[in-house]
Amino acid sequence: MNEDFAQNLRLLCSYYKSISEVTQRLGISRPQFNRYLSGKHKPAANTLRRICEFFDVAEHELHLPHSQFERLVQVSPRQTSNNADSIESAHFNQLQQKSSPELDKYLGYYFEYYYSMGNPGKILRSLVCLEKQGEKVVFQRTERLIEGKEQWDKEVCHCKYLGIAYYLSDRIFMMDYESLTFNEITQTIMFPTFKNRISWLHGLRLGVSASDERMPSSSRVLMEYLGTNINLRKALAMCRFYEPHDQDIDEAIQEMINNQGPNEHWNFRAKA
């Protein structure tokens, strides 16, 4: 069985320029991978899963008799070293391997607050949901671009961002894109909480304004934890633009997202 596995793995690698390219994209050391190719060792379950995802094969297929696997490969499209999807997947897989499982603690719904980049001077409250899909933590950020409480006679514009989150060296990194217009990628970096109970997370966001100006901007952002089971309709109805010092926005939240005031640093920084 080990010899069939090794032969099958060597066949898949032959579709790439070199073994070094494969190991670099997989994030596996060359000596370790050589042991798999020799048939002397079999990869651990999580490493085997990474290998199967990279080569787009099922685990049971890698253990087929080599002659049968060779016929399967001949009739199936293979990834090659020129496949852009495999390049992106390799980078994201490496990040996923480095991401701490502590991120699971933060799954659930959040209200998110920050000063709008497209509507200067307005606080935008939106809804964020972090959830687990397989081994990855993904999220959706929903914005309702509307002003005021009396909304029945107003046109509502929605923005839906889809992204993936990582916990790397005591910081939470969230990358997403606008999935309706595909005209923006944003990155948010948050401080984790070291308390047992999550109240809120805060940090910085980098993106562009939704206006025609499309000015690159950075803004302080705060996420208020709501729980894992909420009234989704009611929560979305509370998402809109708010004026500064609106009584519906807690003063502590307004202080944490305030971008004004003296700045003694060379860079625009999050409030620690």
Side-chain angles (χ1 to χ4, degrees):
M1 182 179 295
N2 278 6
E3 181 56 32
D4 283 322
F5 176 88
Q7 285 186 292
N8 295 341
L9 189 57
R10 290 197 294 268
L11 176 61
L12 292 174
C13 291
S14 70
Y15 286 85
Y16 291 79
K17 294 179 181 179
S18 66
I19 302 298
S20 295
E21 181 186 12
V22 173
T23 56
Q24 183 178 7
R25 294 187 181 186
L26 276 169
I28 299 175
S29 70
R30 179 65 184 270
Q32 179 183 351
F33 197 74
N34 284 343
R35 289 194 285 270
Y36 306 150
L37 293 175
S38 69
K40 296 180 179 179
H41 294 85
K42 291 183 63 177
N46 63 329
T47 304
L48 179 60
R49 190 180 307 115
R50 288 163 57 193
I51 292 173
C52 290
E53 289 178 356
F54 178 76
F55 287 115
D56 194 22
V57 296
E59 290 186 19
H60 75 273
E61 292 176 338
L62 266 178
H63 293 91
L64 291 172
H66 182 63
S67 58
Q68 183 179 347
F69 184 78
E70 193 171 23
R71 290 193 298 271
L72 177 67
V73 169
Q74 289 173 350
V75 298
S76 301
R78 291 291 102 204
Q79 292 185 359
T80 69
S81 59
N82 293 324
N83 190 328
D85 289 339
S86 67
I87 297 174
E88 294 173 359
S89 297
H91 289 301
F92 285 120
N93 286 339
Q94 289 189 67
L95 286 173
Q96 182 59 44
Q97 292 299 315
K98 299 296 184 182
S99 182
S100 169
E102 292 184 46
L103 189 57
D104 291 358
K105 168 184 176 180
Y106 300 92
L107 301 180
Y109 290 89
Y110 297 81
F111 275 144
E112 179 188 72
Y113 304 85
Y114 70 98
Y115 274 91
S116 170
M117 299 174 185
N119 291 68
K122 304 287 187 181
I123 297 174
L124 181 59
R125 172 196 267 165
S126 57
L127 186 66
V128 179
C129 176
L130 274 77
E131 60 182 352
K132 200 77 176 284
Q133 288 187 6
E135 296 297 316
K136 298 178 173 63
V137 174
V138 300
F139 66 94
Q140 176 175 320
R141 182 160 58 90
T142 305
E143 297 179 348
R144 292 177 73 248
L145 307 182
I146 187 170
E147 296 187 41
K149 298 179 181 179
E150 309 300 333
Q151 303 176 24
W152 54 81
D153 60 343
K154 299 178 181 179
E155 182 178 354
V156 180
C157 177
H158 290 87
C159 294
K160 184 171 73 171
Y161 296 81
L162 301 177
I164 189 164
Y166 302 100
Y167 192 116
L168 305 170
S169 298
D170 290 334
R171 294 292 181 266
I172 298 172
F173 294 83
M174 304 171 65
M175 295 176 287
D176 61 38
Y177 68 96
E178 212 293 316
S179 64
L180 302 178
T181 60
F182 299 96
N183 66 354
E184 181 184 1
I185 297 174
T186 65
Q187 181 176 10
T188 305
I189 304 175
M190 311 293 284
F191 292 106
T193 179
F194 299 101
K195 300 178 180 179
N196 292 330
R197 182 175 179 271
I198 301 173
S199 296
W200 55 42
L201 308 172
H202 66 279
L204 284 181
R205 166 163 302 146
L206 177 65
V208 299
S209 65
S211 63
D212 293 338
E213 188 182 26
R214 291 185 58 76
M215 178 63 66
S217 303
S218 179
S219 183
R220 293 186 175 110
V221 60
L222 183 141
M223 291 170 55
E224 179 186 18
Y225 185 66
L226 303 177
T228 57
N229 186 18
I230 66 171
N231 185 324
L232 193 58
R233 187 184 185 94
K234 182 178 180 180
L236 284 171
M238 298 171 66
C239 294
R240 58 180 177 86
F241 288 117
Y242 290 80
E243 295 291 338
H245 311 300
D246 191 305
Q247 293 183 353
D248 288 340
I249 307 293
D250 189 276
E251 289 186 7
I253 293 176
Q254 296 195 39
E255 175 60 28
M256 289 302 300
I257 64 172
N258 184 7
N259 300 317
Q260 298 179 338
N263 182 9
E264 69 277 16
H265 304 285
W266 287 107
N267 305 103
F268 189 77
R269 297 162 56 101
K271 290 188 176 180

